[in-house]
Amino acid sequence: MAGVWVGAAALVAAGWRGRRSPHRLMRGAALWTLKDVPHYSRQCLMVSRSLCSARCDSNEKTFDKILIANRGEIACRVIKTCKKMGIKTVAIHSDVDASSVHVKMADEAVCVGPAPTSKSYLNMDAIMEAIKKTGAQAVHPGYGFLSENREFAKCLAEEDVIFIGPDTHAIQAMGDKIESKLLAKKAKVNTIPGFDGVVKDADEAVRIAREIGYPVMIKASAGGGGKGMRIAWDDEETRDGFRFSSQEAASSFGDDRLLIEKFIDNPRHIEIQVLGDKHGNALWLNERECSIQRRNQKVVEEAPSIFLDSETRRAMGEQAVALAKAVKYSSAGTVEFLVDSKKNFYFLEMNTRLQVEHPVTECITGLDLVQEMIRVAKGYPLRHKQADIPINGWAVECRVYAEDPYKSFGLPSIGRLSQYQEPIHLPGVRVDSGIQPGSDISIYYDPMISKLITYGSDRTEALKRMEDALDNYVIRGVTHNIALLREVIINSRFIKGDINTKFLSDVYPDGFKGHKLTENERNQLLAIASSLFVASQLRAQRFLEHENSRVPIIKPQVATWELSIKLRDEVHTVVASNSGPTFSVEVDGSKLNVTSTWNLASPLLSVNIDGTERTIQCLSREAGGTMSIQFLGTVIHPGTRPVYRHTGEPRGCFEKVCLCGHAEGVRTTSKYKVHILTKLAAELNKFMLEKVAEDTSSTLRSPMPGVVVAVSVKPGDMVAEGQEICVIEAMKMQNSMTAGKTGKVKLVHCKAGDTVGEGDLLVELE
C-alpha cells in the first residue's frame, strides 16, 4: 500500500484533527498514509519518528478496557488514544450529560448521578460501582474532578484497578501545596517565600500576611486551576480572600485548607512537562508559556516559551525532574514555576495529572502523552532518553470559552449551541472539544467549549494560523471569547513576547472593549456591510419566471445604491455599485473593490478587499437595516451593551460587581453599531422616536448565570456604596455583588440556593 502508515493518535499528537470526518477517527483503529497528512504534520512526524517507532507495536499489551472518570473534551481526547491502541472505553456521565459527545464516542456509558458534580463526577461510590459493573481494568481521571484525589486512587488500588496516574504517595505529596513546597525545598528546587503551614482562620491569615509582607497569594492547599486563589494587598482583602478561597476550595476539591505565600509581582507563568515511569526514569519535555491569564486561570498557552534561553530551560527541566524523582513520580505531570524578569524561577506547584494545555507539548515533541501515561500505568519503562526529546516548530493554544469577555475578561455564559463549526479545514489546526451542534453549556460545569491549537514551523506561522482559525470558528447560541483571544494574539506586546500574568489588566486597564478599528479597517467594514446589504437586496428581487407567465415582471434597474451607515455615533454616506461578484464601494471619498461569492446562507464568508483577504461572519440581518457582523474577531452589532472589567486584578481576584450590574468604577460603553439604510429611509428615520434607556442605578441584576450562595441584606436595610449585597457562584468561582450607591433596600428577589440567569433582578433600592 502506498505511503507510510501511521496511527491516528500520532496525527493528533502532531496537531491535526484531520481533513476527513472526525467520526471516522471515533470508530477505531483508523490508519492514514503519510500522503494524507498536511505538510506541517509530515514534518513533525518525520522528526519524531524515532520517538514513535514503537507507537503501533501490537505486541505491547496494556489494558482491555479503561474507564474515563471525566467528561467533555478531555474524555474525548483520552478515548481517541484508547481506540488507536485497541482499548475499549467506558464513559461516565451525569443525567444532563447523557447525550454528550464523550458518551457517544465510548464503547459503554454509565450514569453516575444528577448534574451537580458532588453527586456525579465526584461521587466515588457511584464511579466505583460503574467500574465493577463494566469490568474496567484501569481508570484515566483526565484533569479536575478526582484526578488528584488520593482517596480515589487508594479505592482503585484496593479493588485491583489501575489508576492511570502517579501512586498515592506522589498524589498526596504534590497535590498538597504545603507538603509539596517542603519537598521541593528538600530536593533543592527554588521556592517562593511564605508560610508553610495550614492557615486556621482569617485572623491568622492577616497575621501571616503582615509577617510575609504585602502583597500575598492566598490559595487552596488542594487542587488548582485558579480555584481558591486570591491576591491580597491589605488586611481587608486578606480577610475577604480567606473567606472566598476557603469556600471555593471546599466546593471544588472538598478540602478548604489554605496556605499563604509572597506574591511575585509581574511574573511569567512557565511550566515544565515531566514524564516518569515505575523504574526510576524521568524526563522533562520542554516548557509551556502560560502567562496570559484572568483570575489565575490560563487563557492562551504556547510551547516553547519565547522568553527562555537553553540554559534556563535546562535548569528548570532538571529541577522539575529532581522533584519528580524525589517523590518517585510515575506518569505525566507538570511542574509549574513563576519566572521573574531576570529569569529567576520559583516553584509554584506540581499538577499530578494531565494538564489542560498538554496538546502544545505534543505538537512540538511528537509524543502522545495519553499513550505514554497508559504505558507507564501498565508498568512499561519509558521508551525515550532526554537527548531524544526535540523542540520541533511552535504551537499555540487558545481556550475557547462560553464567556462574555466584556465582563471581567470572561464571566460565564450558558445556552445551547445552535450552530457550531470548527476550523479544522485549515492547515496546522487541531481542535480538542467535547461538544457538537445542539450541545448545552450549563451552569454545572466549566464553560470551556474547546481548546484551539495551531502549529507552525515558527512562532510567526503558528500565530498567523491561530488568527485565521479564530476568524473561521463558527459558534452560535452562546456568548464566546473569540474576540478577546484574537486581540491577545495580534497585540504588539504579545507578539514581542513582552508578557506576564497581569497582561490583560495592563493592556486593557478599563476592561476589554473589542477590536479598535483603524481608519482603513473601518472603511473595509463599511464596504463589506454595504456590499452585504446590496447583495441581500438583489437576492430579494429575484423571481422564478415561468416562460408562459401572463404577468410581465418589471425588475427595477438600480445602477448605484446610496446608503447611510451608522457606525457607533458616526454616520457615513456610502455609494455602492456591482458588477457580478464585485462591488465597487465609495466610502468617505475612498474607493474599495469588494469581491466574494456572496453566499448569504453560509456561516462564513471569504471577502477580498483590494487584495486583502478577510473572513467574516454575518450573524443576522434585519428588515429595519440592522446588521450583526463578526469582523476581525469582534461582533459588530447595532445595540449597546455594558463593558465590565475585573477591578481586583491584581488587587484581589474575586469579582466585585456594583449594584447597577457593572464592575466597580467602569463607565458603560458600547461596542460598534451598524445600522444601514437607503438614503430615503435614513431621511425618514429621523422622525422615529428613540427608546428611553432603563434606569439601572437602583437595581442589581445578575451579570452571569449562577447560584446564589449568600444574601447579606434584607428589605429596610441601609447599604453603603461598595457594601456586599450577595454572592453568586458560577462555574465554581464565587463573585461578590456590591452596592453601587448608598441607599435603602426596597426588595430582595433572591435567596441562598436560588439559580439565577444573566440579567435576573436580585435586589432593588428605594
Side-chain angles (χ1 to χ4, degrees):
M1 188 170 289
V4 180
W5 292 97
V6 292
L11 304 184
V12 173
W16 182 61
R17 261 192 80 178
R19 290 176 292 180
R20 304 191 184 189
S21 169
H23 301 292
R24 188 167 176 182
L25 272 177
M26 298 176 190
R27 289 200 293 266
L31 295 175
W32 308 89
T33 61
L34 191 59
K35 63 183 176 66
D36 290 325
V37 185
H39 172 71
Y40 84 94
S41 297
R42 278 185 244 165
Q43 183 186 39
C44 184
L45 286 171
M46 290 175 181
V47 170
S48 60
R49 184 165 299 156
S50 61
L51 301 179
C52 306
S53 58
R55 190 177 298 279
C56 297
D57 185 356
S58 59
N59 295 320
E60 193 176 73
K61 301 298 183 183
T62 54
F63 304 102
D64 296 323
K65 185 183 292 185
I66 291 176
L67 181 142
I68 296 94
N70 217 295
R71 66 179 299 279
E73 61 86 14
I74 188 57
C76 295
R77 166 70 186 91
V78 174
I79 291 171
K80 287 177 184 177
T81 288
C82 287
K83 286 185 177 295
K84 185 267 302 185
M85 297 177 71
I87 301 171
K88 291 185 178 180
T89 55
V90 179
I92 62 167
H93 63 89
S94 65
D95 52 9
V96 298
D97 273 346
S99 298
S100 295
V101 175
H102 78 282
V103 174
K104 296 177 181 178
M105 286 180 64
D107 297 292
E108 300 176 58
V110 179
C111 182
V112 290
T117 56
S118 61
K119 298 178 180 180
S120 52
Y121 296 103
L122 292 175
N123 187 344
M124 283 191 280
D125 291 339
I127 295 173
M128 294 303 298
E129 183 62 31
I131 294 169
K132 294 177 183 178
K133 178 180 178 181
T134 59
Q137 300 164 310
V139 172
H140 196 299
Y143 54 73
F145 295 138
L146 297 173
S147 62
E148 295 175 286
N149 189 298
R150 183 175 65 92
E151 291 303 317
F152 181 56
K154 184 178 179 181
C155 288
L156 293 175
E158 290 173 353
E159 298 294 330
D160 293 325
V161 177
I162 302 298
F163 180 76
I164 302 177
D167 61 26
T168 55
H169 165 69
I171 294 174
Q172 179 178 1
M174 293 293 97
D176 187 309
K177 291 182 175 64
I178 297 171
E179 186 175 350
S180 67
K181 188 173 180 181
L182 295 174
L183 285 168
K185 285 183 178 180
K186 188 175 181 180
K188 301 187 185 306
V189 177
N190 304 340
T191 57
I192 302 172
F195 178 69
D196 296 330
V198 177
V199 183
K200 298 177 182 177
D201 53 38
D203 290 335
E204 185 178 34
V206 170
R207 179 183 62 78
I208 294 169
R210 289 175 178 176
E211 291 176 358
I212 296 172
Y214 288 110
V216 297
M217 173 69 81
I218 304 168
K219 59 184 181 181
S221 177
K227 305 292 194 304
M229 296 180 68
R230 296 289 186 274
I231 301 167
W233 292 71
D234 54 39
D235 292 354
E236 181 183 357
E237 290 184 355
T238 299
R239 292 183 185 279
D240 284 343
F242 180 89
R243 176 164 65 104
F244 285 109
S245 290
S246 58
Q247 290 172 356
E248 286 179 4
S251 175
S252 298
F253 315 116
D255 185 343
D256 64 356
R257 293 177 303 143
L258 303 177
L259 60 85
I260 299 179
E261 61 190 19
K262 181 70 176 177
F263 174 67
I264 299 176
D265 205 11
N266 297 322
R268 287 173 177 265
H269 187 138
I270 300 177
E271 60 192 27
I272 301 291
Q273 176 73 57
V274 295
L275 185 63
D277 63 22
K278 300 179 185 298
H279 304 274
N281 304 306
L283 303 170
W284 51 276
L285 308 179
N286 304 311
E287 79 280 3
R288 296 186 289 257
E289 173 75 69
C290 307
S291 297
I292 307 299
Q293 304 179 1
R294 45 87 177 114
R295 297 188 300 282
N296 297 306
Q297 291 183 309
K298 302 160 189 173
V299 179
V300 178
E301 302 103 344
E302 59 183 309
S305 169
I306 195 173
F307 184 64
L308 295 191
D309 53 52
S310 58
E311 183 178 343
T312 307
R313 176 179 296 114
R314 183 174 62 255
M316 293 176 69
E318 289 174 351
Q319 286 199 16
V321 166
L323 180 60
K325 288 185 174 181
V327 293
K328 299 180 180 179
Y329 193 85
S330 58
S331 192
T334 300
V335 181
E336 302 192 351
F337 294 94
L338 292 181
V339 185
D340 66 22
S341 59
K342 297 181 180 179
K343 298 183 181 177
N344 298 309
F345 56 91
Y346 304 93
F347 170 72
L348 182 63
E349 63 182 357
M350 183 176 187
N351 291 306
T352 57
R353 53 173 167 79
L354 190 66
Q355 201 82 331
V356 177
E357 56 274 17
H358 76 275
V360 291
T361 295
E362 292 183 327
C363 286
I364 67 168
T365 62
L367 290 174
D368 181 336
L369 293 182
V370 174
Q371 182 174 7
E372 297 303 321
M373 293 178 74
I374 293 172
R375 291 186 68 260
V376 167
K378 185 61 177 177
Y380 291 108
L382 298 181
R383 296 176 289 179
H384 320 303
K385 303 297 182 183
Q386 189 63 58
D388 298 330
I389 306 301
I391 297 181
N392 179 49
W394 211 285
V396 180
E397 175 179 291
C398 286
R399 298 192 189 187
V400 181
Y401 282 102
E403 291 181 338
D404 190 338
Y406 301 90
K407 299 178 181 178
S408 186
F409 301 115
L411 292 186
S413 169
I414 62 171
R416 176 165 294 179
L417 291 165
S418 57
Q419 193 169 8
Y420 182 73
Q421 182 175 309
E422 296 172 350
I424 55 176
H425 61 285
L426 300 176
V429 174
R430 164 179 169 177
V431 183
D432 283 15
S433 68
I435 50 90
Q436 61 189 356
S439 291
D440 284 315
I441 306 296
S442 72
I443 64 171
Y444 298 107
Y445 311 116
D446 188 273
M448 181 185 289
I449 294 174
S450 73
K451 299 182 304 194
L452 177 62
I453 306 103
T454 56
Y455 176 89
S457 58
D458 55 27
R459 190 170 187 259
T460 299
E461 185 177 41
L463 289 177
K464 181 61 176 70
R465 285 175 167 173
M466 179 60 73
E467 184 180 341
D468 293 340
L470 290 168
D471 284 342
N472 282 269
Y473 209 144
V474 178
I475 304 172
R476 311 281 171 82
V478 296
T479 305
H480 54 75
N481 66 335
I482 293 289
L484 175 62
L485 297 172
R486 194 183 190 281
E487 286 303 297
V488 168
I489 65 163
I490 67 171
N491 183 272
S492 59
R493 272 189 55 180
F494 180 83
I495 291 173
K496 289 187 293 185
D498 179 17
I499 59 178
N500 55 49
T501 55
K502 294 199 305 178
F503 178 86
L504 291 179
S505 57
D506 286 347
V507 174
Y508 308 106
D510 295 321
F512 178 67
K513 296 181 174 65
H515 184 73
K516 185 176 180 181
L517 294 173
T518 64
E519 182 178 354
N520 183 51
E521 290 170 346
R522 181 204 65 187
N523 290 342
Q524 289 182 358
L525 169 60
L526 294 173
I528 292 171
S530 58
S531 299
L532 279 170
F533 178 83
V534 174
S536 63
Q537 293 294 313
L538 292 173
R539 187 178 70 166
Q541 294 174 4
R542 294 176 188 152
F543 292 90
L544 292 177
E545 297 184 50
H546 193 277
E547 60 180 4
N548 296 321
S549 176
R550 298 179 182 179
V551 181
I553 297 176
I554 302 175
K555 297 183 180 179
Q557 298 297 321
V558 180
T560 61
W561 297 72
E562 292 186 56
L563 305 174
S564 176
I565 305 181
K566 188 175 182 181
L567 177 60
R568 276 195 164 176
D569 297 323
E570 299 177 351
V571 178
H572 302 266
T573 299
V574 175
V575 179
S577 61
N578 80 298
S579 175
T582 299
F583 284 86
S584 179
V585 183
E586 184 175 337
V587 181
D588 295 338
S590 299
K591 291 185 178 180
L592 298 92
N593 294 309
V594 185
T595 304
S596 179
T597 59
W598 305 112
N599 180 3
L600 302 183
S602 173
L604 295 170
L605 197 61
S606 180
V607 179
N608 184 293
I609 311 170
D610 289 332
T612 300
E613 294 289 339
R614 300 288 191 195
T615 299
I616 68 158
Q617 298 184 36
C618 186
L619 307 182
S620 66
R621 299 185 307 279
E622 298 179 10
T626 58
M627 188 177 294
S628 181
I629 302 172
Q630 184 169 312
F631 177 69
L632 301 177
T634 296
V635 176
I636 319 299
H637 68 98
T640 61
R641 65 186 301 156
V643 175
Y644 299 74
R645 74 176 174 91
H646 190 287
T647 61
E649 281 190 302
R651 298 182 60 80
C653 290
F654 57 92
E655 176 70 9
K656 287 190 175 181
V657 182
C658 74
L659 187 63
C660 59
H662 307 146
E664 291 181 290
V666 179
R667 298 185 303 275
T668 300
T669 59
S670 66
K671 295 165 71 178
Y672 308 124
K673 309 173 187 178
V674 171
H675 192 195
I676 307 177
L677 296 172
T678 63
K679 186 177 180 180
L680 175 60
E683 290 295 325
L684 296 175
N685 192 58
K686 295 176 182 178
F687 300 100
M688 298 293 290
L689 296 176
E690 291 188 10
K691 183 178 179 180
V692 179
E694 178 188 0
D695 179 11
T696 60
S697 61
S698 297
T699 59
L700 170 63
R701 294 184 181 274
S702 177
M704 78 211 90
V707 176
V708 178
V709 175
V711 180
S712 307
V713 298
K714 62 183 183 298
D717 287 354
M718 291 297 298
V719 294
E721 182 179 353
Q723 180 179 332
E724 181 177 289
I725 299 295
C726 63
V727 176
I728 292 181
E729 182 178 280
M731 276 76 172
K732 302 299 180 183
M733 298 295 285
Q734 297 200 356
N735 305 272
S736 174
M737 309 291 140
T738 64
K741 69 176 186 179
T742 299
K744 186 177 182 179
V745 177
K746 179 181 178 181
L747 291 171
V748 177
H749 297 273
C750 63
K751 63 182 182 299
D754 284 356
T755 299
V756 295
E758 181 179 359
D760 284 0
L761 182 61
L762 303 176
V763 176
E764 292 181 76
L765 293 186
E766 291 183 356

